[in-house]
Amino acid sequence: MNRIKKVLEEKGIKQVWLADRLGKSFNTVNGYVQNRAQPSLEILYKIAKILDVDPKDLLK
């Protein structure tokens, strides 16, 4: 399980924006946000960098 949805909400960032920044489809990012799919460690670190948070903050 990850906390990507919570961090996006806290920062007021939309999934579409994150998908664009990651170079991934909205559906892929939505899968991460809804915990239907888990990002690889590489992608998790990219998400953390984009959102300016510690990667540990994205995990439960």
Side-chain angles (χ1 to χ4, degrees):
M1 298 281 289
N2 67 61
R3 296 186 63 248
I4 297 171
K5 182 177 185 175
K6 183 76 171 161
V7 174
L8 288 174
E9 288 172 355
E10 289 170 357
K11 293 187 170 275
I13 296 173
K14 301 287 184 190
Q15 292 179 45
V16 174
W17 181 85
L18 180 59
D20 184 56
R21 297 290 299 226
L22 276 175
K24 300 281 185 189
S25 72
F26 171 81
N27 286 338
T28 298
V29 171
N30 184 259
Y32 300 156
V33 170
Q34 299 300 324
N35 279 297
R36 290 189 310 265
Q38 295 302 316
S40 66
L41 285 176
E42 179 184 356
I43 298 299
L44 188 73
Y45 274 86
K46 283 184 180 181
I47 293 170
K49 185 174 181 175
I50 290 167
L51 298 178
D52 193 32
V53 297
D54 189 298
K56 291 183 277 185
D57 293 339
L58 298 176
L59 301 171
K60 284 189 178 179

